[in-house]
Amino acid sequence: IAAAFAESVEDSRLVFSAASAEARSETELFEIARQDLTEQEMILAEAKEALEEVSNRNRRLKEAAERGLAEARSNREYADNAENRVVAVKALLDKSQNQAVSSETVAGTADAEAKI
């Protein structure tokens, strides 16, 4: 009986040692997985931060482009108005030139008639 009991105790110790070793191995695997998870969470956080920076930069660039477009439109309207003013001034200048020529002709005729 003592031999059977000793053998049973030894078998139990072997089972306990194997179970303990497996538990340590599983614990080590768990710790490795947890470290990997922590690293991946850090990578994800960095990626989120980079995405936020890029999104903010894109938003600022879009706003600058919209301001540039609005300014370009305004400048185009100003240029169109200036062109219209130039055309109007040229028309007035031509009219004034024609009136000056007419006035000169009338003055010349009046001078000639006065000499007669």
Side-chain angles (χ1 to χ4, degrees), residues 34-48:
R34 190 168 60 128
Q35 288 173 357
D36 286 346
L37 176 62
T38 301
E39 289 173 11
Q40 294 303 317
E41 286 175 337
M42 288 173 48
I43 291 170
L44 177 61
E46 290 171 2
K48 284 181 178 180

Side-chain angles (χ1 to χ4, degrees), residues 14-103:
L14 291 174
V15 169
F16 173 76
S17 290
S20 186
E22 187 176 341
R24 278 193 303 273
S25 175
E26 292 299 321
T27 301
E28 289 171 1
L29 290 175
F30 172 77
E31 286 301 319
I32 291 170
R34 190 168 60 128
Q35 288 173 357
D36 286 346
L37 176 62
T38 301
E39 289 173 11
Q40 294 303 317
E41 286 175 337
M42 288 173 48
I43 291 170
L44 177 61
E46 290 171 2
K48 284 181 178 180
E49 185 176 323
L51 174 62
E52 184 68 24
E53 288 174 9
V54 169
S55 295
N56 288 338
R57 180 174 175 253
N58 285 344
R59 181 183 44 77
R60 287 190 308 272
L61 290 173
K62 179 184 175 194
E63 289 171 356
E66 288 171 349
R67 284 190 307 272
L69 179 60
E71 184 176 347
R73 285 182 181 148
S74 176
N75 289 342
R76 178 63 188 170
E77 288 176 15
Y78 179 77
D80 288 345
N81 289 337
E83 185 178 12
N84 291 337
R85 285 191 304 273
V86 166
V87 168
V89 168
K90 282 183 179 181
L92 289 173
L93 184 60
D94 287 344
K95 184 178 177 183
S96 293
Q97 181 71 23
N98 291 338
Q99 286 177 349
V101 169
S102 292
S103 295

